[in-house]
């Protein structure tokens, strides 16, 4: 009997449902080709979950996620929900998903494709050949540290508080993912911190340095986050794998993404321990300004589905086939608005999806 995979789909908000629809078509087609099937369960998260239930991460969604083999997420958020109290914001739903599934390791690849080099805002000679993997810690640090809140001081003044914390075990588990990721790549790991100012970063640096004894083949370096931001735009090719904390990784992964020309091209994987389901999602947001207009680029969503096949479902050949189809449609000249450059015509989301299905055969 053909292998069947239970996948929870979280289309979310904005352009989410449009790009998810394309990803589902692509997955079905790839299943036919490689002889496996999917049972898809759709669940609510973010703004659409708030509208339907009042909660950005309903209990049924968590249940669906926990009982599936893997989770494919599109995007959450939009202007409509921006002024709601924090516990009812779409972002809170995403953070709850990450923490309740223990998705501590976020892999964000930023690879420049030769086909899209002119879509980058940086010079060709700077970005040519860029191939970076950002390993971002995702369930700790400033995003989750306690105490947090807006308090009132004795003098009656308000005071906002967040706390950046990392325990040794949190650093060790993300460090392990990072060293192992580097081992499968060019064996260069750069750890990014702010240890010239922050104690939490000092511990981070000490622990990562200690761990490097177990990975003698990996060339380890350390950068302060401000310098890392500068180096990323100055000479990005110096980087292979980057490991960093939650907030720094949030910022640096957007910068790394933009080197490639469009954030609309980049997938990501959020992983827990082996055997637990991961969440696969594009790095970009829900783009409410173009939602429902058939303008979105579905490729980051498709490439996220490929990462899901590779990491969670152990179907590397199927993942390779999807990645090859993405390259093929770019070679054929298909461009959505975000990646268009002189000499190309703009196609919509659906037309890009049709081209992909055709490329898959
Ligand atoms: C990301 C996003 C999220 C984050 C937001 C939407 C909470 O920016 O995945 O990078 O800050 O982690
Ligand atoms: Mg971000």
């Amino acid at each position: 009997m053909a292998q069947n995979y239970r996948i929870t789909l979280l289309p979310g908000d904005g352009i989410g449902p449009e790009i998810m629809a394309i990803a589902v078509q692509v997955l079905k087609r790839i299943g036919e080709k490689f002889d496996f099937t999917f049972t898809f369960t759709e669940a609510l998260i973010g703004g659409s979950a708030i509208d339907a239930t009042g909660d950005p991460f309903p209990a049924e969604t968590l249940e669906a996620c926990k009982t599936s083999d893997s989770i494919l997420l599109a995007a959450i958020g939009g202007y409509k929900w921006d002024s709601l109290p924090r516990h009812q914001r779409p972002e809170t739903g995403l953070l709850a998903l990450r923490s309740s599934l223990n998705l501590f390791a976020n892999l964000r690849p930023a690879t420049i494709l030769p086909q899209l080099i002119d879509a980058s805002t940086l010079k060709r000679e700077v970005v040519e050949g860029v191939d970076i993997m950002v390993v971002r810690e995702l369930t700790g640090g400033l995003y989750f540290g306690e105490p947090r809140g807006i308090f009132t001081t004795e003098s009656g003044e308000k005071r906002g508080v967040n706390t950046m914390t990392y325990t040794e075990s949190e650093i060790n588990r993300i460090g392990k993912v990072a060293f192992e990721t580097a081992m499968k790549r060019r064996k260069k790991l750069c750890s990014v911190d702010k240890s010239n100012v922050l104690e939490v970063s000092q511990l981070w640096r000490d622990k990562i340095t200690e761990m490097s004894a177990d990975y003698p083949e990996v060339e380890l370096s350390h950068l302060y986050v401000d310098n890392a931001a500068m180096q990323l735009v100055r000479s990005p090719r110096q980087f292979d794998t980057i490991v960093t904390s939650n907030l720094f990784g949030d910022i640096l992964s957007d910068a790394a993404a933009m080197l490639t020309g469009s954030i609309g091209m980049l997938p990501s994987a959020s992983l827990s321990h082996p055997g637990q389901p991961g969440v696969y999602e594009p790095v970009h947001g829900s783009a409410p300004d173009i939602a429902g207009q058939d303008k979105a680029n579905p490729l980051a969503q498709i490439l996220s589905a490929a990462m899901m096949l590779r990491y969670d479902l152990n179907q590397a050949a199927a993942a390779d086939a999807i990645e090859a189809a993405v390259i093929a449609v770019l070679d054929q000249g298909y461009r959505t608005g975000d990646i268009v450059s002189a000499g190309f015509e703009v196609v919509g989301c659906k037309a890009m999806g049709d081209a992909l299905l055709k490329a898959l055969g």
Side-chain angles (χ1 to χ4, degrees), residues 108 136 250 254:
R108 297 189 163 185
R136 169 187 175 191
D250 178 45
D254 268 28

Side-chain angles (χ1 to χ4, degrees), residues 126-266:
V126 174
V127 292
E128 204 152 43
V130 162
D131 178 10
I132 300 172
M133 179 70 89
V134 178
V135 180
R136 169 187 175 191
E137 199 291 326
L138 203 59
T139 52
L142 203 50
Y143 275 55
F144 292 94
E146 297 285 347
R148 67 182 297 161
I150 298 175
F151 304 100
T152 308
T153 66
E154 271 171 31
S155 66
E157 192 190 13
K158 283 197 175 145
R159 183 165 172 266
V161 179
N162 288 94
T163 308
M164 189 158 168
T165 68
Y166 275 110
T167 60
E168 292 182 289
S169 55
E170 285 175 315
I171 301 167
N172 282 335
R173 66 181 186 179
I174 192 70
K176 185 164 184 283
V177 172
F179 277 105
E180 282 168 9
T181 302
M183 279 300 286
K184 290 188 208 135
R185 293 174 46 93
R186 299 191 302 281
K187 299 191 169 65
K188 268 179 72 172
L189 178 62
C190 178
S191 172
V192 174
D193 63 42
K194 191 71 189 174
S195 58
N196 50 344
V197 178
L198 305 176
E199 286 79 5
V200 56
S201 277
Q202 184 60 58
L203 182 67
W204 178 283
R205 188 175 284 222
D206 292 348
K207 283 285 130 196
I208 298 284
T209 305
E210 221 176 276
M211 289 182 81
S212 71
D214 296 333
Y215 301 89
E217 283 174 62
V218 176
E219 180 196 324
L220 175 67
S221 61
H222 301 274
L223 282 181
Y224 300 137
V225 62
D226 48 349
N227 188 13
M230 178 181 78
Q231 298 297 337
L232 261 179
V233 285
R234 190 184 76 90
S235 69
R237 264 195 309 272
Q238 69 184 286
F239 294 105
D240 174 36
T241 307
I242 293 174
V243 62
T244 191
S245 59
N246 205 343
L247 180 68
F248 299 162
D250 178 45
I251 300 165
L252 293 180
S253 64
D254 268 28
M258 213 44 217
L259 299 172
T260 70
S262 174
I263 202 164
M265 288 298 299
L266 297 180

Side-chain angles (χ1 to χ4, degrees), residues 10-29:
L10 305 173
D13 309 320
I15 59 169
E18 298 164 58
I19 57 177
M20 185 64 91
I22 311 278
V24 168
Q25 286 179 316
V26 166
L27 282 171
K28 283 184 180 157
R29 175 65 58 85

